[in-house]
Amino acid sequence: MEQITAQPGTKVFYLDGKKINSKQTFLKQAAEAMEIPTYFGANWDAFDECITDLTWCPAQRYVILYNHADIFAQAEPTQYQIALDILNSAKEYWEANHIPLKFLVINK
């Protein structure tokens, strides 16, 4: 883990899953962690657009660490799956543009 985050040009976003138990709290925490601009619409479409933009925090690679993801997964499984789908799509988008995006879920 330290090797990933210590690389120069890496932007790390940390989602504290202890504070995430719904779509709304996920979007709020993601917006704060990713420093998403205030125009963020706080819905899935807006999150999808923002996570494939990130012009406000350019980097050579991105890492998203999501701790305690099981809380959201158990509270709202359908919404949790949408979040994962968006994050996986973003990973594919960035990799197609030769910028790695690592998404790590830690259930502790």
Side-chain angles (χ1 to χ4, degrees):
M1 186 70 63
E2 289 177 19
Q3 286 181 318
I4 292 172
T5 59
Q7 293 178 2
T10 301
K11 181 67 179 172
V12 179
F13 304 118
Y14 174 72
L15 296 175
D16 183 356
K18 289 180 184 176
K19 300 177 181 177
I20 300 171
N21 63 1
S22 67
K23 172 184 174 180
Q24 290 75 23
T25 56
F26 175 87
L27 292 170
K28 181 179 185 294
Q29 290 299 315
E32 289 176 14
M34 297 176 190
E35 302 162 14
I36 295 175
T38 56
Y39 61 75
F40 176 57
N43 60 59
W44 288 131
D45 288 338
F47 179 63
D48 190 25
E49 288 175 24
C50 286
I51 200 168
T52 55
D53 179 356
L54 298 176
T55 52
W56 57 89
C57 57
Q60 296 172 339
R61 68 192 61 74
Y62 296 98
V63 177
I64 301 170
L65 301 175
Y66 184 2
N67 200 9
H68 301 282
D70 56 320
I71 295 170
F72 183 25
Q74 291 171 7
E76 291 189 357
T78 303
Q79 297 302 313
Y80 174 75
Q81 188 58 53
I82 292 170
L84 290 185
D85 291 346
I86 292 170
L87 290 164
N88 286 321
S89 293
K91 181 179 186 292
E92 292 172 11
Y93 168 84
W94 286 108
E95 287 178 357
N97 287 283
H98 310 289
I99 297 175
L101 183 143
K102 303 280 186 210
F103 174 59
L104 305 170
V105 174
I106 306 159
N107 289 318
K108 290 186 181 179

